[in-house]
Amino acid sequence: MKPCEIKKGIYWVGAIDWNVRSFHGHTYTTKRGTTYNAYLIVDDKVALVDTVYGPFTGELIERIRAVMPVENIDYVIANHVETDHSGALPAVMKLCPKAKVYGTSKCKEGLYRNYYEKWDFQEVKTGDSLKLGKRTLTFIEAPMIHWPDSMFTYCREEELLMPNDAFGQHYAASERFDDEVDQCALMDEAVIYYANILWPLGQIILKKIEDVLRMNIPIKMIAPSHGIIWRKDPMKIVKAYMSWAKNETKRKAVIVYETMWNSTEKMARAICEGIKDSGVSVKLFDIARSDRTEVISQMLDAQGFMFGSSTHGNDMLPTIAGFLEFLKGLKPKGRVACAFGSYGWGGGAVNSMESVLKEAGVNIAQPSISVKYVPDTGELKRCYEFGVNFAKMLK
Ligand code: FEO
């Protein structure tokens, strides 16, 4: 397995996980697989920036060996504790026990609590640097992007930023660079990644990007820890992150529902028509048949959310309930939403959905709409008008 020289003397030595289809437990579906990116910087001293997920240790070692003996590594930079980047660290440290590990104080604590090894560890803070020879690495703490230990590593001489999870995508490809892959697929994966992992961290991300831009460090290449490296126009992804972090939205609505005997589905379709006929872009998903990861990514730039459920046991159905709980954790800001649903006798689904929406901090745009048993023509007309009225509230 060959490394890829991304700059003179700097090699991608990571691993490609073509077949992974779920991530972070099962909270994220990875339809295009992923990569675990690690970078080997060969200078008077040799630094390895991050490792890979444990099962891919052999791939990492093989790629490093194609450049030089693994035992020659002097420093391992641990930008992030999470196991998809540190899993191979114990094996690397066994091969080069004199290597020094660099990371934040939270990283030191996290690595110990994962591996219970006492490696030679150098704690670093923003602005600390490590001279390798012709090149110097500078560290930038990035707490909560997306773990407390997270850190960026920057090489000024190469104008290269290695921000670990930030700016990444779960995208397995034989190509390494943004100008070599399908642009739509690349941005699609970048949006999915941001929406499902980073959405609740917008304010922290925005501040960190502004801090880094104020540091006035030139950036010609962004090499994240997942997916494709940005070299064609690295500021493209930075600008996209700033827009997402500011919660910039468009006149777009996303309808997410779950139905038992299709009454709620009939309501959803009538509402959808009302929104569409009002000139607002709308997406409709039966969450029981849809990929939650994809649905969340469609919500990132949508101003309005609409949730529907049949009533079961005086509550909403379980798949939409799980979806709303997940959405609540993403803390969407500045959106409007409302609920609809069908019931047979007691009802309860719309109230439950509205409660979760309030907890999520989403503004309830209009009172919910409910239909007993199967909607008749008049009730479907009412659903259509419900959609038209909702569309008027979207800016
Ligand atoms: Fe936070 Fe890719 O791990």
Side-chain angles (χ1 to χ4, degrees), residues 23-24 80 82 84-85 146-147 164-165 170 193 225-226:
F23 209 79
H24 279 163
H80 182 26
E82 198 164 6
D84 51 328
H85 308 294
H146 68 124
W147 276 21
N164 195 265
D165 279 331
H170 287 308
Y193 188 95
S225 58
H226 293 291

Side-chain angles (χ1 to χ4, degrees), residues 27 38 52 77 94 131 151 177 267-268 286 292 338 340:
T27 62
V52 298
I77 314 303
K94 265 204 177 76
K131 194 157 180 55
M151 176 177 93
F177 295 104
M267 295 175 75
D286 173 356
R292 186 183 63 206
C338 54
F340 65 94

Side-chain angles (χ1 to χ4, degrees), residues 116-133:
Y116 298 97
E117 298 276 2
K118 291 200 168 164
W119 298 311
D120 184 7
F121 193 99
Q122 178 67 49
E123 283 183 29
V124 293
K125 293 186 184 307
T126 296
D128 288 351
S129 60
L130 171 64
K131 194 157 180 55
L132 301 179

